[in-house]
Amino acid sequence: MKRLGVALVTCVALLAGSTRAGADPVPPTPPADLHACTLPGHAPYWFDYVDGAVPFWQMFARAGVIAAAPNLQLPEQIRQKGGVTVYFDPHLRNRAGVPSAPEDPSLMESRADRLYLYVENSTHCSNPVIAENELYGAGLPTPWSPTTAQYRANVLKFLTRLHDLGAQPWLLVNSPPSTAGDAGDWWRAVAQVAGIVREVYFPAPLIAKQGPVLGSRTLRQAFRRGLLDFTQIGIPTSKLGIFLGFQTTKGTGGREGLQPANAWFEIVKLQALAAKQVAKEMKFHGIWSWGWAEYSTSPGEHDPDKPRAACVYLWTRDASLCNGPASAGKGFNRSRTEGQLVLPGTLRCRINDVGPVLWSAIKPLVSLTGDGELAFTNAYARVLESRYARVTVREILAAESAIIATRFGGSRSAYLAAIAQAHASLAIARGVIGDELRRARIETHIGVGAPGSDAISEFRQTYGDLRARLVQAKGKTAWLGGGKVGYALESNAPGPVMRLPSGRWSSVFSATGVVRVRPLGPPLPLSSVSLVRARPSIRAALVAQMRDARYPTWIAARISRSLDDAVCWRDQLPQAGVADLTDYLPFLELT
């Protein structure tokens, strides 16, 4: 709110405890009906800045709304209409100074006393909530300059005195704080006597461009970050709040000229929903709003859409407070669930137009990998892969039978023992087999360049000991270079091929399906086969290697692309990459 501070100082005529000429005299005694006040409802409390420059202030003068006002007369009128008021002090600078020019520290307590008496008369509360706007230089690291150190000491002393008098002060902070070293100690000292409200503003066009899913995530993540700066140094969330801005002067992080009006109303709604969601997660104290005033010195704040935006804001948090859709008019999106974290307890994520990522799908992978994030990413990738390659239970069982026959001599008990030794289960193993099948089928569609003659010759020379066997297939076969007759290479042909009896047709399982093959001779070292005859199969092996190498990039790109439309628990998203789970169960790898 720093950019609007000058206008606010000019326009608020009734200033509590000001040292300037022309201010209201401080009432000499507390009001007769002074009492301990209680905020209505429960956290998060919603506070809305209201002063005489808000033409539609009556909208906030009703039960269920807490108005933050900076004078004497308006709060009384608001309370008469059923509202609740707290005090908003826009002049912390006049009381404590600024980092480059701190005020006389000996004046802090008397100024706090003066303000407290004034606020008692404004709120009629013996324990008034007082918002102090605002701290300068929140991000200044220690060691501080002498003037900055004095300024910080002034602010702390002023807040402490208000607290000791019985007030509930809240310090507004408009930028990321420096919390290392002595600065962290200062923030913790503040939290002992006051709450902290982090101002988090957004240019509405940015959120509008991102849309309801990504835009809402941007809002929520920024709110969380604003609070985590403080919780990470031990300040409880009960002593924290966030401040939303709905100002309309360009360059101040509000509407920023967003048109049409319905587009702005949508962003107003999304901000309220995002704040409500993060409050539910983090259980912080309050949500404050600003920007409804129309100051004569700020032409950009004279926006005819403000009353409608304020109604939408009130309606979003509680439909009984205002008829937001009617106020917004035709074309307004009434949904209060689109883009929000509305997930059943069984879902970790919902990928729009793709499918759900279930918590139950992640849990087994955690037991396999011992890494929750890795398990989440693989479960997420599995859902995406299923969109590109469908694998049936029958195919998984067929692959499992082939693995048992090839690697365990047909012994199912040996296979189960291997799974148990890897601290996995049969269900986990079958899930990994499904991954292998999907990956193999997806890889057949990944485009790679054709291997050159030099690469083919080098492969034959490097892998001369690799077994090769002349076989015939019933149909065109990828690992034979797309032909029906050729040399099957041990590196990428189905495992059983090298053990089949010569001259007989047999069915062998491959990752891309069952193939009927007939060996035409015994296995031979690749080096003994002429390059001309082995070339198609070597080329196929090299293409398979390149596709396999490209797969991590392929799936990472699909994950990244999907995130804009994904809704995940607390906006915790997967990493853009996967692990090969056969690293944990190597006997399940398919060739």
Side-chain angles (χ1 to χ4, degrees):
M1 293 184 291
K2 189 174 295 181
R3 293 186 179 93
L4 298 179
V6 174
L8 184 59
V9 171
T10 303
C11 296
V12 178
L14 301 177
L15 170 63
S18 173
T19 58
R20 311 289 183 191
D24 277 0
V26 176
T29 59
D33 62 345
L34 186 67
H35 61 285
C37 297
T38 302
L39 295 175
H42 55 80
Y45 300 101
W46 298 77
F47 304 90
D48 302 297
Y49 179 82
V50 181
D51 68 8
V54 179
F56 49 93
W57 64 265
Q58 293 90 344
M59 190 181 297
F60 300 101
R62 57 176 303 159
V65 177
I66 305 172
N71 51 44
L72 293 175
Q73 288 79 8
L74 188 60
E76 181 63 31
Q77 296 178 63
I78 291 172
R79 289 194 296 273
Q80 288 175 359
K81 292 179 178 292
V84 173
T85 63
V86 298
Y87 193 83
F88 191 98
D89 176 20
H91 293 288
L92 180 61
R93 173 175 182 161
N94 290 346
R95 310 183 195 289
V98 294
S100 60
E103 292 283 339
D104 182 348
S106 67
L107 299 175
M108 293 305 101
E109 291 193 356
S110 61
R111 288 181 176 178
D113 293 347
R114 181 182 174 94
L115 175 63
Y116 178 74
L117 182 58
Y118 187 94
V119 173
E120 281 186 325
N121 281 272
S122 173
T123 63
H124 291 216
C125 297
S126 59
N127 58 337
V129 172
I130 305 175
E132 287 295 341
N133 183 46
E134 68 194 324
L135 183 74
Y136 283 77
L140 292 173
T142 53
W144 290 322
S145 68
T147 58
T148 297
Q150 185 58 67
Y151 166 69
R152 290 294 187 98
N154 284 356
V155 171
L156 180 56
K157 188 174 184 179
F158 186 78
L159 295 173
T160 299
R161 181 60 175 175
L162 289 175
H163 170 269
D164 292 347
L165 290 169
Q168 304 173 64
W170 288 82
L171 178 63
L172 275 58
V173 179
N174 69 359
S175 59
S178 173
T179 58
D182 292 341
D185 293 337
W186 186 86
W187 288 110
R188 284 185 286 270
V190 167
Q192 292 295 314
V193 296
I196 300 169
V197 185
R198 181 70 167 85
E199 300 168 46
V200 187
Y201 300 157
F202 299 87
L206 168 66
I207 306 301
K209 183 178 180 180
Q210 292 180 339
V213 175
L214 182 56
S216 293
R217 186 191 305 155
T218 296
L219 293 168
R220 291 188 297 263
Q221 289 177 331
F223 293 151
R224 293 188 191 103
R225 284 194 300 270
L227 298 176
L228 285 172
D229 285 336
F230 297 106
T231 61
Q232 288 172 346
I233 61 169
I235 296 176
T237 56
S238 61
K239 302 300 291 286
L240 298 174
I242 57 174
F243 213 114
L244 311 182
F246 301 107
Q247 57 272 16
T248 53
T249 299
K250 287 189 176 181
T252 60
R255 182 175 184 176
E256 297 293 346
L258 180 62
Q259 294 290 349
N262 268 335
W264 185 39
F265 301 153
E266 172 75 2
I267 305 310
V268 170
K269 178 189 74 174
L270 293 181
Q271 287 197 61
L273 290 172
K276 183 185 290 188
Q277 172 64 37
V278 177
K280 179 181 177 181
E281 294 172 6
M282 301 185 72
K283 304 187 186 310
F284 61 80
H285 180 270
I287 301 164
W288 301 67
S289 77
W290 159 272
W292 309 121
E294 298 181 355
Y295 300 116
S296 60
T297 55
S298 300
E301 293 304 316
H302 290 260
D303 188 322
D305 294 326
K306 275 190 179 184
R308 300 163 68 195
C311 184
V312 169
Y313 181 64
L314 292 169
W315 165 82
T316 303
R317 68 202 212 201
D318 184 342
S320 69
L321 295 179
C322 200
N323 190 340
S327 183
K330 187 178 180 180
F332 175 66
N333 181 356
R334 295 167 175 251
S335 174
R336 285 185 285 183
T337 60
E338 185 181 15
Q340 306 310 304
L341 301 187
V342 183
L343 295 170
T346 56
L347 263 61
R348 177 70 167 80
C349 284
R350 183 178 60 247
I351 312 172
N352 288 350
D353 301 324
V354 179
V357 181
L358 303 175
W359 285 101
S360 59
I362 300 169
K363 186 175 180 180
L365 298 183
V366 175
S367 66
L368 177 65
T369 65
D371 186 324
E373 289 304 310
L374 183 62
F376 170 38
T377 296
N378 272 67
Y380 189 100
R382 187 175 283 177
V383 172
L384 289 178
E385 291 163 340
S386 298
R387 182 182 186 184
Y388 295 94
R390 183 173 178 269
V391 173
T392 66
V393 172
R394 184 176 180 180
E395 290 168 332
I396 291 173
L397 295 178
E400 183 180 62
S401 296
I403 289 169
I404 292 172
T406 303
R407 300 207 171 104
F408 296 92
S411 172
R412 184 174 180 79
S413 61
Y415 169 67
L416 295 175
I419 292 173
Q421 188 174 6
H423 304 289
S425 67
L426 184 60
I428 291 174
R430 288 174 175 172
V432 175
I433 292 172
D435 294 340
E436 287 287 284
L437 292 173
R438 279 185 289 271
R439 176 169 179 162
R441 294 173 190 183
I442 290 170
E443 285 182 357
T444 62
H445 300 289
I446 295 178
V448 295
S453 298
D454 290 345
I456 293 172
S457 298
E458 183 179 353
F459 183 95
R460 179 174 177 272
Q461 182 178 355
T462 302
Y463 301 103
D465 293 337
L466 193 71
R467 289 190 298 172
R469 191 175 193 184
L470 184 63
V471 300
Q472 179 182 6
K474 284 288 187 181
K476 294 181 178 180
T477 305
W479 40 269
L480 291 178
K484 293 183 179 181
V485 177
Y487 278 88
L489 302 184
E490 189 176 21
S491 62
N492 67 320
V497 168
M498 296 300 155
R499 297 188 298 275
L500 294 175
S502 296
R504 290 172 51 184
W505 287 99
S506 301
S507 295
V508 296
F509 179 86
S510 73
T512 54
V514 176
V515 183
R516 291 279 290 172
V517 297
R518 181 176 66 172
L520 301 178
L524 302 170
L526 178 59
S527 60
S528 68
V529 180
S530 72
L531 183 59
V532 172
R533 299 189 68 184
R535 185 183 300 275
S537 297
I538 293 175
R539 182 183 294 111
L542 287 169
V543 167
Q545 286 180 1
M546 289 188 288
R547 284 173 170 165
D548 192 59
R550 285 278 303 278
Y551 185 79
T553 301
W554 182 90
I555 188 61
R558 270 41 183 200
I559 291 174
S560 294
R561 222 178 293 166
S562 74
L563 296 180
D564 286 356
D565 294 319
V567 176
C568 294
W569 178 78
R570 296 197 176 184
D571 294 310
Q572 294 179 12
L573 303 174
Q575 300 298 313
V578 296
D580 187 344
L581 297 180
T582 60
D583 290 345
Y584 301 89
L585 300 166
F587 52 86
L588 298 180
E589 186 175 3
L590 301 178
T591 56

